[in-house]
Amino acid sequence: MDKKQMTEEDIKLRFITPAITDKWNVDHITMETKITDGKINLKGNFVFREKPKKADYILYINANNPIAIVEAKDNNHTVSFGLQQAMTYAQMIDVPFAYSSNGDAFYEHDFLTGQERQISLYEFPSPDELILRYQAAKSMTDTEKQIIYQPYYTSQTTYPPRYYQCNAVNRTLDLIAKGQQRLLLVMATGTGKTYTAFQIVYRLLKSGMKKKILYLADRNLLVDQSIQQDFAPLEKTIHKINFANDDPVTITSHEVYFSLYQQLTDRDEDDSEDNEDDTVSRLAKLFQKDFFDLIIVDECHRGSAKKDSNWRKILDYFSSATQIGMTATPKETKYISNIDYFGEPVYTYSLREGIEDGFLAPFKVINIRTNIGEGWRPFKGQLDKNGKEIEDRIYTNSDFDYNIILEDRTYEVAREITEYLKSVGRMDKTIVFCATEEHAERMRIALTNLNADMVKEHPGYIVRITGSDKFGKSKLKYFISVGAEYPVIATTSKLLSTGADCKMTKLIVLDQMIGSMTEFKQIIGRGTRLREKEGKTHFIVMDFRNVTRLFADPDWDGPIEQDDDYGKGGSHIAEPGPDTPYGTGSEPKEKPIVDEHGCTVKVIGKTVSIYDANGKLLRQEDVIVYTKSNILGEYASLSDFIRKWSDEDKKESIRGLFMERGINLESMKADQSMSDVDDFDFICHVAYNQKPLTRRERANNVVKRDFLSKYSGAAREVLEALLDRYMNTGIYEIEKTEILKLDPFLKYGKPSKIAQLFGGKEGYLKAIKELEEELYKVG
């Protein structure tokens, strides 16, 4: 066969693979290796995955360390045609050599020297050649070589590390082997920071480079999650520190220690940093300064970034240990800096990259506008519920629930959440971020009353989970559990904004002001985890305060840079707390309470926004307008649509046309509370302003016009059953002959026997066609 006529697969089989395997053991080669999962796209209300990125060949030093990428093309392309693709993949997985081939030769790009060259098929370098070139360029020490050959932890119950997790682990271990003492890893929420930390710890322990490791977090939930899940393979060597009960003599027998830093300083989880002068003395009772040789600080943006924090006192006490800070959202302000302490990130994997690669869930934003969104002003002398005069000024989103309580606004937000869940699924896990803990309780009550049918069946359907609510906090482990159905809706203020691994969250409701980009990223991160097998492919952000304007901020997913004013002095001004008037430094005061008679609140508009992975607005559209424009693009007029609907033997093909354009008519009808309407009526209503009839009304019209009188006996009973089926499920079901194999048609025999009631198959299909024409005669 002429080489030019061969496919890419033929070229690989006959030329490229033999050239590689001549030098490389097949155990060190993988083919068609999936690097990413393929981005999930949201088109209208249709969800689909793009093709994943796959490398034709990846060559490995060992299981831990890939060293080269090879991309193949057919012989109609030049030798170097695939080199840019190979280089892109090589940069993604951190390998120093990239090759392309069309079966005639190889083209090499060496990232160590920046040079390119063409080599013959027989000159493809061996593993030893590439390793020597790599080690020479990196000036590797014996310690570095030792850590390279230390394997990852693998088992039947753990998944292999993704490419970016391998990058994070390998870069960290390389730098530790070189002697670097402080390192910062930045990985978006949901990308497996703790799993990455586990692999770092595992390889360091097994190589003997580190022997005593401390894992620090500031929330019990994070510690317990880590021990029970990602670090479970090391359970026999793990100890969770309890300052009150631990014996300084026996505590030293473990390898991996987990602790809340509050426990090391003998404080409660929710205590502030104030009045802690004895941190070091407490530490000294349990551990010598040089006891730990590695410390990992989880969510390091929260505490250790402050120079005077107790986190920092712990890290300073164990200053001889290698220290790794891990966070999704580094904090860089005038007063706080992760970079100042840990240095520039050794590896960053952002939310944008996670969504682009298909490892994180994309999202839509529904901005909801109310009649008071631009502000509300009481009339002169207006009194609140308690008979007190309300201060005369314009109240805005920054005031609602912080400085004034509008009861009808709380009800309207709760009603909108309830209506949305009724349209998409009452069991969709939902977090409602409220202004204060008090607001979270009012929201819980409003949602409970609006979802009384669900609460009646299961009282735990809705719960408030806040820092001061012990009952609510006891339900947190069930809320974040994939296996536990209840609770479904959690109202909160701050507690769920960070750390909690809420894998099944499908709806995030923003009804609080967010002034910090760090906090905004953390909140959005509550929804980014994918659980496709359980039905979670994306999530919705429902915004009642226009805080999603932060997507337009350059800091949304930009590079991490230290604030120019960091360390120049000045007093630290704290961000507004959860229970203080937003944006003020005043003492909390009694808030006016205005009932629905004093201020009536109504939703006046909704806008659906689709953002790309960079946070850039792709499109912003009213859902109905988008659907209408697509209908009018396909059918010029009402008569044109009716004619095509009538002529179409299988009406389901029309629904398929809309699916291709990203419009799921069933979901659309549910969104508009029109699930009892036929697709025919919905389309006529949306695009041509026709009054819709329900399926029941259409079926009743058929009965009233006595259409069925022309049939008798079992034939009429079959048509009556089909009409009943139409009322319940729509036109598409009765078009399928398979329906005759189901109840209640089974009693009439096989489909062929039923067809004989109408004189045969043609007679049956004619009867169905006439029934359809009769259904759509009116309207």
CSV table of all heavy atoms in Angstrom, one decimal, residues 378-412:
chain,number,residue,atom,x,y,z
A,378,PRO,N,-38.3,53.9,52.8
A,378,PRO,CA,-39.6,54.0,53.5
A,378,PRO,C,-40.3,55.3,53.3
A,378,PRO,O,-39.6,56.3,53.0
A,378,PRO,CB,-39.1,53.8,55.0
A,378,PRO,CG,-37.7,54.3,55.1
A,378,PRO,CD,-37.1,54.0,53.7
A,379,PHE,N,-41.6,55.3,53.4
A,379,PHE,CA,-42.3,56.6,53.3
A,379,PHE,C,-42.1,57.4,54.6
A,379,PHE,O,-41.7,56.8,55.6
A,379,PHE,CB,-43.8,56.4,53.0
A,379,PHE,CG,-44.6,55.6,54.0
A,379,PHE,CD1,-45.0,56.1,55.2
A,379,PHE,CD2,-44.8,54.2,53.7
A,379,PHE,CE1,-45.7,55.4,56.1
A,379,PHE,CE2,-45.6,53.5,54.6
A,379,PHE,CZ,-46.0,54.0,55.8
A,380,LYS,N,-42.4,58.6,54.6
A,380,LYS,CA,-42.2,59.5,55.7
A,380,LYS,C,-42.9,59.0,56.9
A,380,LYS,O,-44.1,58.8,56.9
A,380,LYS,CB,-42.6,60.9,55.3
A,380,LYS,CG,-42.2,62.0,56.4
A,380,LYS,CD,-42.6,63.4,56.0
A,380,LYS,CE,-42.3,64.4,57.1
A,380,LYS,NZ,-42.6,65.8,56.7
A,381,GLY,N,-42.2,58.8,58.0
A,381,GLY,CA,-42.8,58.4,59.3
A,381,GLY,C,-43.1,57.0,59.4
A,381,GLY,O,-43.8,56.5,60.3
A,382,GLN,N,-42.7,56.1,58.4
A,382,GLN,CA,-43.1,54.7,58.4
A,382,GLN,C,-42.5,54.0,59.6
A,382,GLN,O,-41.4,54.2,60.0
A,382,GLN,CB,-42.6,54.0,57.1
A,382,GLN,CG,-43.0,52.6,57.0
A,382,GLN,CD,-42.7,52.0,55.7
A,382,GLN,OE1,-42.5,52.7,54.7
A,382,GLN,NE2,-42.8,50.6,55.6
A,383,LEU,N,-43.4,53.2,60.2
A,383,LEU,CA,-43.0,52.4,61.4
A,383,LEU,C,-42.7,51.0,61.0
A,383,LEU,O,-43.3,50.4,60.1
A,383,LEU,CB,-44.1,52.5,62.4
A,383,LEU,CG,-44.6,53.9,62.9
A,383,LEU,CD1,-45.7,53.8,63.9
A,383,LEU,CD2,-43.4,54.7,63.4
A,384,ASP,N,-41.8,50.3,61.8
A,384,ASP,CA,-41.6,48.9,61.5
A,384,ASP,C,-42.6,48.1,62.3
A,384,ASP,O,-43.5,48.6,62.9
A,384,ASP,CB,-40.1,48.6,61.9
A,384,ASP,CG,-39.8,48.6,63.4
A,384,ASP,OD1,-40.7,48.9,64.2
A,384,ASP,OD2,-38.7,48.2,63.8
A,385,LYS,N,-42.4,46.8,62.4
A,385,LYS,CA,-43.3,45.9,63.1
A,385,LYS,C,-43.4,46.2,64.5
A,385,LYS,O,-44.5,45.9,65.2
A,385,LYS,CB,-42.9,44.4,62.9
A,385,LYS,CG,-43.4,43.8,61.6
A,385,LYS,CD,-43.0,42.3,61.5
A,385,LYS,CE,-43.8,41.5,62.4
A,385,LYS,NZ,-43.5,40.0,62.2
A,386,ASN,N,-42.4,46.7,65.1
A,386,ASN,CA,-42.3,47.0,66.5
A,386,ASN,C,-42.8,48.4,66.9
A,386,ASN,O,-42.6,48.8,68.0
A,386,ASN,CB,-40.9,46.7,67.1
A,386,ASN,CG,-40.5,45.2,66.9
A,386,ASN,OD1,-41.3,44.3,67.2
A,386,ASN,ND2,-39.3,45.0,66.5
A,387,GLY,N,-43.3,49.1,65.9
A,387,GLY,CA,-43.8,50.5,66.1
A,387,GLY,C,-42.7,51.5,66.2
A,387,GLY,O,-43.0,52.7,66.6
A,388,LYS,N,-41.5,51.2,65.7
A,388,LYS,CA,-40.4,52.2,65.7
A,388,LYS,C,-40.2,52.8,64.4
A,388,LYS,O,-40.4,52.1,63.3
A,388,LYS,CB,-39.1,51.5,66.2
A,388,LYS,CG,-39.1,51.0,67.6
A,388,LYS,CD,-37.8,50.4,68.0
A,388,LYS,CE,-37.8,50.0,69.5
A,388,LYS,NZ,-36.5,49.4,69.9
A,389,GLU,N,-39.9,54.1,64.3
A,389,GLU,CA,-39.8,54.7,63.0
A,389,GLU,C,-38.5,54.3,62.3
A,389,GLU,O,-37.5,54.1,62.9
A,389,GLU,CB,-39.8,56.3,63.2
A,389,GLU,CG,-39.8,57.0,61.9
A,389,GLU,CD,-40.0,58.5,62.1
A,389,GLU,OE1,-40.5,58.9,63.1
A,389,GLU,OE2,-39.5,59.3,61.2
A,390,ILE,N,-38.7,54.0,61.0
A,390,ILE,CA,-37.6,53.6,60.2
A,390,ILE,C,-36.8,54.8,59.7
A,390,ILE,O,-37.4,55.7,59.2
A,390,ILE,CB,-38.1,52.7,59.0
A,390,ILE,CG1,-38.9,51.6,59.5
A,390,ILE,CG2,-36.9,52.2,58.2
A,390,ILE,CD1,-39.7,50.9,58.4
A,391,GLU,N,-35.5,54.7,59.9
A,391,GLU,CA,-34.7,55.8,59.4
A,391,GLU,C,-34.9,56.1,57.9
A,391,GLU,O,-34.9,55.2,57.1
A,391,GLU,CB,-33.2,55.5,59.6
A,391,GLU,CG,-32.2,56.6,59.2
A,391,GLU,CD,-30.8,56.2,59.3
A,391,GLU,OE1,-30.5,55.1,59.9
A,391,GLU,OE2,-29.9,57.0,58.8
A,392,ASP,N,-35.1,57.4,57.6
A,392,ASP,CA,-35.4,57.7,56.2
A,392,ASP,C,-34.2,57.8,55.3
A,392,ASP,O,-33.4,58.8,55.4
A,392,ASP,CB,-36.2,59.1,56.2
A,392,ASP,CG,-36.6,59.5,54.8
A,392,ASP,OD1,-36.5,58.6,53.9
A,392,ASP,OD2,-36.9,60.7,54.6
A,393,ARG,N,-33.9,56.8,54.6
A,393,ARG,CA,-32.8,56.8,53.6
A,393,ARG,C,-33.1,55.6,52.6
A,393,ARG,O,-34.0,54.9,52.7
A,393,ARG,CB,-31.5,56.5,54.3
A,393,ARG,CG,-31.3,55.2,55.0
A,393,ARG,CD,-29.9,55.1,55.6
A,393,ARG,NE,-29.5,53.9,56.2
A,393,ARG,CZ,-29.0,52.8,55.6
A,393,ARG,NH1,-28.8,52.8,54.3
A,393,ARG,NH2,-28.7,51.7,56.3
A,394,ILE,N,-32.3,55.6,51.6
A,394,ILE,CA,-32.4,54.5,50.6
A,394,ILE,C,-31.6,53.3,51.1
A,394,ILE,O,-30.4,53.3,51.4
A,394,ILE,CB,-31.9,54.9,49.2
A,394,ILE,CG1,-32.8,56.1,48.7
A,394,ILE,CG2,-31.9,53.8,48.2
A,394,ILE,CD1,-32.3,56.7,47.4
A,395,TYR,N,-32.3,52.1,51.2
A,395,TYR,CA,-31.7,50.9,51.6
A,395,TYR,C,-31.4,50.0,50.3
A,395,TYR,O,-32.3,49.9,49.5
A,395,TYR,CB,-32.6,50.1,52.6
A,395,TYR,CG,-32.8,50.8,53.9
A,395,TYR,CD1,-33.8,51.8,54.0
A,395,TYR,CD2,-32.0,50.5,55.0
A,395,TYR,CE1,-34.0,52.5,55.3
A,395,TYR,CE2,-32.2,51.2,56.2
A,395,TYR,CZ,-33.2,52.2,56.3
A,395,TYR,OH,-33.3,52.8,57.5
A,396,THR,N,-30.3,49.4,50.3
A,396,THR,CA,-29.9,48.6,49.1
A,396,THR,C,-29.5,47.2,49.5
A,396,THR,O,-29.7,46.8,50.7
A,396,THR,CB,-28.7,49.3,48.4
A,396,THR,OG1,-27.5,49.2,49.3
A,396,THR,CG2,-28.9,50.8,48.1
A,397,ASN,N,-29.0,46.4,48.5
A,397,ASN,CA,-28.6,45.1,48.8
A,397,ASN,C,-27.6,45.0,50.0
A,397,ASN,O,-27.5,43.9,50.7
A,397,ASN,CB,-28.0,44.4,47.6
A,397,ASN,CG,-29.0,43.9,46.6
A,397,ASN,OD1,-30.1,43.6,47.0
A,397,ASN,ND2,-28.7,44.0,45.3
A,398,SER,N,-26.8,46.0,50.2
A,398,SER,CA,-25.8,46.0,51.2
A,398,SER,C,-26.4,46.2,52.6
A,398,SER,O,-25.8,46.0,53.6
A,398,SER,CB,-24.8,47.1,51.0
A,398,SER,OG,-24.1,46.9,49.8
A,399,ASP,N,-27.7,46.6,52.6
A,399,ASP,CA,-28.4,46.8,53.9
A,399,ASP,C,-29.4,45.7,54.2
A,399,ASP,O,-29.5,45.3,55.4
A,399,ASP,CB,-29.3,48.1,53.8
A,399,ASP,CG,-28.4,49.3,53.7
A,399,ASP,OD1,-27.6,49.6,54.6
A,399,ASP,OD2,-28.6,50.0,52.7
A,400,PHE,N,-30.0,45.1,53.2
A,400,PHE,CA,-31.0,44.0,53.5
A,400,PHE,C,-30.4,42.9,54.3
A,400,PHE,O,-29.4,42.3,53.9
A,400,PHE,CB,-31.6,43.5,52.2
A,400,PHE,CG,-32.2,44.6,51.3
A,400,PHE,CD1,-32.1,44.5,49.9
A,400,PHE,CD2,-32.8,45.7,51.8
A,400,PHE,CE1,-32.6,45.5,49.1
A,400,PHE,CE2,-33.3,46.7,51.0
A,400,PHE,CZ,-33.2,46.6,49.6
A,401,ASP,N,-31.0,42.6,55.4
A,401,ASP,CA,-30.6,41.6,56.4
A,401,ASP,C,-29.4,41.9,57.2
A,401,ASP,O,-29.1,41.2,58.1
A,401,ASP,CB,-30.5,40.2,55.7
A,401,ASP,CG,-31.7,39.8,55.0
A,401,ASP,OD1,-32.8,39.6,55.7
A,401,ASP,OD2,-31.7,39.7,53.7
A,402,TYR,N,-28.7,43.0,56.8
A,402,TYR,CA,-27.5,43.5,57.6
A,402,TYR,C,-28.0,44.6,58.5
A,402,TYR,O,-27.7,44.6,59.7
A,402,TYR,CB,-26.4,44.0,56.7
A,402,TYR,CG,-25.7,42.9,55.9
A,402,TYR,CD1,-26.1,42.7,54.6
A,402,TYR,CD2,-24.7,42.1,56.4
A,402,TYR,CE1,-25.5,41.7,53.8
A,402,TYR,CE2,-24.1,41.1,55.7
A,402,TYR,CZ,-24.5,40.9,54.4
A,402,TYR,OH,-23.9,39.9,53.6
A,403,ASN,N,-28.7,45.6,57.9
A,403,ASN,CA,-29.1,46.7,58.7
A,403,ASN,C,-30.7,46.9,58.8
A,403,ASN,O,-31.1,47.7,59.6
A,403,ASN,CB,-28.6,48.0,58.1
A,403,ASN,CG,-27.1,48.0,58.1
A,403,ASN,OD1,-26.5,47.7,59.1
A,403,ASN,ND2,-26.5,48.4,56.9
A,404,ILE,N,-31.4,46.1,58.0
A,404,ILE,CA,-32.8,46.2,58.0
A,404,ILE,C,-33.4,44.8,57.5
A,404,ILE,O,-32.7,44.2,56.7
A,404,ILE,CB,-33.4,47.3,57.1
A,404,ILE,CG1,-34.9,47.5,57.3
A,404,ILE,CG2,-33.1,47.1,55.6
A,404,ILE,CD1,-35.4,48.8,56.7
A,405,ILE,N,-34.5,44.4,58.1
A,405,ILE,CA,-35.0,43.1,57.7
A,405,ILE,C,-36.4,43.3,57.0
A,405,ILE,O,-37.3,43.9,57.6
A,405,ILE,CB,-35.3,42.2,59.0
A,405,ILE,CG1,-33.9,41.9,59.7
A,405,ILE,CG2,-36.0,40.9,58.6
A,405,ILE,CD1,-34.1,41.3,61.0
A,406,LEU,N,-36.4,42.9,55.8
A,406,LEU,CA,-37.6,43.0,55.0
A,406,LEU,C,-38.2,41.5,54.8
A,406,LEU,O,-37.7,40.7,54.1
A,406,LEU,CB,-37.4,43.5,53.6
A,406,LEU,CG,-36.7,44.9,53.5
A,406,LEU,CD1,-36.4,45.4,52.1
A,406,LEU,CD2,-37.5,46.0,54.3
A,407,GLU,N,-39.2,41.3,55.6
A,407,GLU,CA,-39.7,39.9,55.7
A,407,GLU,C,-40.2,39.4,54.3
A,407,GLU,O,-40.0,38.2,54.0
A,407,GLU,CB,-40.9,39.8,56.7
A,407,GLU,CG,-40.4,40.0,58.1
A,407,GLU,CD,-41.6,39.9,59.1
A,407,GLU,OE1,-42.7,40.1,58.7
A,407,GLU,OE2,-41.3,39.5,60.3
A,408,ASP,N,-40.8,40.2,53.5
A,408,ASP,CA,-41.3,39.7,52.2
A,408,ASP,C,-40.2,39.4,51.3
A,408,ASP,O,-40.3,38.6,50.4
A,408,ASP,CB,-42.2,40.8,51.6
A,408,ASP,CG,-43.2,40.1,50.6
A,408,ASP,OD1,-43.7,39.0,50.8
A,408,ASP,OD2,-43.5,40.8,49.5
A,409,ARG,N,-39.0,40.1,51.4
A,409,ARG,CA,-37.9,39.8,50.6
A,409,ARG,C,-37.4,38.3,50.9
A,409,ARG,O,-37.1,37.6,50.0
A,409,ARG,CB,-36.7,40.8,50.8
A,409,ARG,CG,-35.6,40.6,49.9
A,409,ARG,CD,-34.4,41.5,50.2
A,409,ARG,NE,-33.3,41.2,49.2
A,409,ARG,CZ,-32.5,40.2,49.3
A,409,ARG,NH1,-32.6,39.3,50.3
A,409,ARG,NH2,-31.6,40.0,48.4
A,410,THR,N,-37.3,38.0,52.2
A,410,THR,CA,-36.9,36.7,52.6
A,410,THR,C,-37.8,35.6,52.0
A,410,THR,O,-37.4,34.6,51.5
A,410,THR,CB,-36.9,36.5,54.1
A,410,THR,OG1,-36.0,37.5,54.7
A,410,THR,CG2,-36.4,35.2,54.6
A,411,TYR,N,-39.1,35.9,52.1
A,411,TYR,CA,-40.1,35.0,51.6
A,411,TYR,C,-40.0,34.9,50.1
A,411,TYR,O,-40.0,33.7,49.5
A,411,TYR,CB,-41.6,35.5,51.9
A,411,TYR,CG,-42.6,34.7,51.2
A,411,TYR,CD1,-43.1,33.5,51.7
A,411,TYR,CD2,-43.2,35.2,49.9
A,411,TYR,CE1,-44.1,32.8,51.0
A,411,TYR,CE2,-44.1,34.5,49.3
A,411,TYR,CZ,-44.6,33.3,49.8
A,411,TYR,OH,-45.5,32.6,49.1
A,412,GLU,N,-39.8,36.0,49.3
A,412,GLU,CA,-39.7,35.9,47.9
A,412,GLU,C,-38.4,35.2,47.4
A,412,GLU,O,-38.5,34.4,46.4
A,412,GLU,CB,-39.7,37.4,47.3
A,412,GLU,CG,-39.8,37.5,45.8
A,412,GLU,CD,-41.2,37.0,45.3
A,412,GLU,OE1,-42.1,36.7,46.2
A,412,GLU,OE2,-41.4,37.0,44.1
